[in-house]
């Protein structure tokens, strides 16, 4: 798999939690939180990745909005700079991902809220090939995805598990969809204070044409103010990843322009 394709897949799994206080960058594993109604979160990030093939830089932008108590929607964009060991450098817009999260179980979930059961979220997604396939900044394929999220808190430890299915297809050719599966497990705890959380995760994917990759990521989340969160982490490629090392940094801003209107109703 090309370095550009790996970067694009990584962008898909970046998410936000219920409130800005614990925005869920830099981890790939999705959380079960849903943004409150009318709440916007703007997420800016940068990832510098080095592997056996060269160096890549991905600058990401994500905008999340809370539609209902149990639904949020998100759009993800990326700018890619590719610096391969052989060949010329490339720069351009990556593919665009639109996704939604639906809360099934848990607080304000569709079915019921019971502390005995973990929170559960379903997250469908669509990737549009807005990047340039010839440059390597785009996949040239439409990709449909569905992700199951399970989350449970034990004392102060928050644990999460993901299982996702993705299918990609070249929209210009009559081809069968290529199947791929994603998985992730992650846990985080407060470190000295509730404003600072430290966590680690293991993520990977497997499929007929992509092999079976495995990554580990360790990072932290620091709440600067109630509506500004800083994050950073380091990800290592453990299997079928070309000795990849990725340094991640980002910041998330949250606001609700309709808060006064909603609270007055």
């Amino acid at each position: 798999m090309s370095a550009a394709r790996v970067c694009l897949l990584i962008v898909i799994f970046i998410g936000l939690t219920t409130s800005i206080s614990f925005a869920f960058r830099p981890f790939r594993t999705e959380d079960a939180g849903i943004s409150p109604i009318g709440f916007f979160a703007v997420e800016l990030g940068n990832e510098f990745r080095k592997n056996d093939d060269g160096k890549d830089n991905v600058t990401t932008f994500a905008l999340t909005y809370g539609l209902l108590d149990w639904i949020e929607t998100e759009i993800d964009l990326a700018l890619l700079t590719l610096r391969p060991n052989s060949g010329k450098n490339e720069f351009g817009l990556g593919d665009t991902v639109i996704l939604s999260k639906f809360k099934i179980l848990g607080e304000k979930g569709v079915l019921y809220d019971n502390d005995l059961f973990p929170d559960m979220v379903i997250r469908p997604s669509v990737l549009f090939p807005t990047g340039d396939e010839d440059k390597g900044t785009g996949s040239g394929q439409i990709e449909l995805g569905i992700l199951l999220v399970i989350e449970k808190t034990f004392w102060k430890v928050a644990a999460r598990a993901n299982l996702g299915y993705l299918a990609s297809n070249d929209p210009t050719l009559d081809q069968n969809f290529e199947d791929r599966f994603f998985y992730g497990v992650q846990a985080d705890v407060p470190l000295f204070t509730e404003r600072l959380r430290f966590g680690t995760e293991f993520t990977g994917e497997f499929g007929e044409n992509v092999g079976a990759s495995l990554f580990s990521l360790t990072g932290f989340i620091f709440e600067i103010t109630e509506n500004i969160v800083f994050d950073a982490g380091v990800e290592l490629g453990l299997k079928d990843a070309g000795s990849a090392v990725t340094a991640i940094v980002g910041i998330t801003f949250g606001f609700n322009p309709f808060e006064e209107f909603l609270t007055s109703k």
Side-chain angles (χ1 to χ4, degrees), residues 40-113:
F40 285 93
V42 177
E43 174 188 294
L44 302 174
N46 195 80
E47 303 183 12
F48 175 77
R49 181 175 183 268
K50 183 179 184 299
N51 65 9
D52 293 339
D53 298 325
K55 301 175 182 178
D56 305 328
N57 193 83
V58 183
T59 301
T60 60
F61 171 84
L63 177 64
T64 302
Y65 178 69
L67 289 174
L68 297 173
D69 286 335
W70 55 280
I71 301 176
E72 75 173 25
T73 187
E74 179 179 335
I75 182 170
D76 295 343
L77 306 172
L79 288 174
L80 282 73
T81 301
L82 310 179
R83 296 189 291 273
N85 292 331
S86 60
K88 67 175 183 178
N89 296 347
E90 297 288 358
F91 172 79
L93 178 68
D95 292 345
T96 300
V97 181
I98 297 177
L99 57 91
S100 294
K101 290 170 66 176
F102 299 89
K103 189 71 165 284
I104 306 301
L105 298 179
E107 183 180 2
K108 297 183 179 180
V110 175
L111 297 182
Y112 55 88
D113 179 11

Side-chain angles (χ1 to χ4, degrees), residues 2 18 52 55-56 61 96 98 126 175 229-230 241 243-244 248:
S2 68
T18 303
D52 293 339
K55 301 175 182 178
D56 305 328
F61 171 84
T96 300
I98 297 177
V126 181
Q175 296 179 337
V229 175
F230 174 80
S243 303
I248 304 168

Side-chain angles (χ1 to χ4, degrees), residues 7-166:
C7 292
L8 291 169
L9 292 174
I10 284 172
V11 172
I12 298 175
F13 298 102
I14 298 173
L16 295 169
T17 56
T18 303
S19 68
I20 190 65
S21 299
F22 297 119
F24 214 61
R25 289 185 46 91
F27 302 106
R28 315 300 191 191
T29 307
E30 183 65 88
D31 68 291
I34 300 294
S35 299
I37 296 176
F39 186 87
F40 285 93
V42 177
E43 174 188 294
L44 302 174
N46 195 80
E47 303 183 12
F48 175 77
R49 181 175 183 268
K50 183 179 184 299
N51 65 9
D52 293 339
D53 298 325
K55 301 175 182 178
D56 305 328
N57 193 83
V58 183
T59 301
T60 60
F61 171 84
L63 177 64
T64 302
Y65 178 69
L67 289 174
L68 297 173
D69 286 335
W70 55 280
I71 301 176
E72 75 173 25
T73 187
E74 179 179 335
I75 182 170
D76 295 343
L77 306 172
L79 288 174
L80 282 73
T81 301
L82 310 179
R83 296 189 291 273
N85 292 331
S86 60
K88 67 175 183 178
N89 296 347
E90 297 288 358
F91 172 79
L93 178 68
D95 292 345
T96 300
V97 181
I98 297 177
L99 57 91
S100 294
K101 290 170 66 176
F102 299 89
K103 189 71 165 284
I104 306 301
L105 298 179
E107 183 180 2
K108 297 183 179 180
V110 175
L111 297 182
Y112 55 88
D113 179 11
N114 191 316
D115 291 338
L116 296 177
F117 296 94
D119 288 3
M120 181 181 295
V121 161
I122 298 294
R123 195 199 73 174
S125 63
V126 181
L127 181 147
F128 296 97
T130 53
D132 191 326
E133 184 180 9
D134 294 333
K135 289 184 177 181
T137 61
S139 65
Q141 296 180 319
I142 291 175
E143 186 169 71
L144 307 178
I146 187 74
L147 185 73
L148 172 66
V149 180
I150 297 176
E151 178 178 313
K152 184 69 175 177
T153 299
F154 305 91
W155 189 52
K156 292 187 177 182
V157 179
R160 302 166 182 89
N162 290 180
L163 181 61
Y165 169 76
L166 301 103

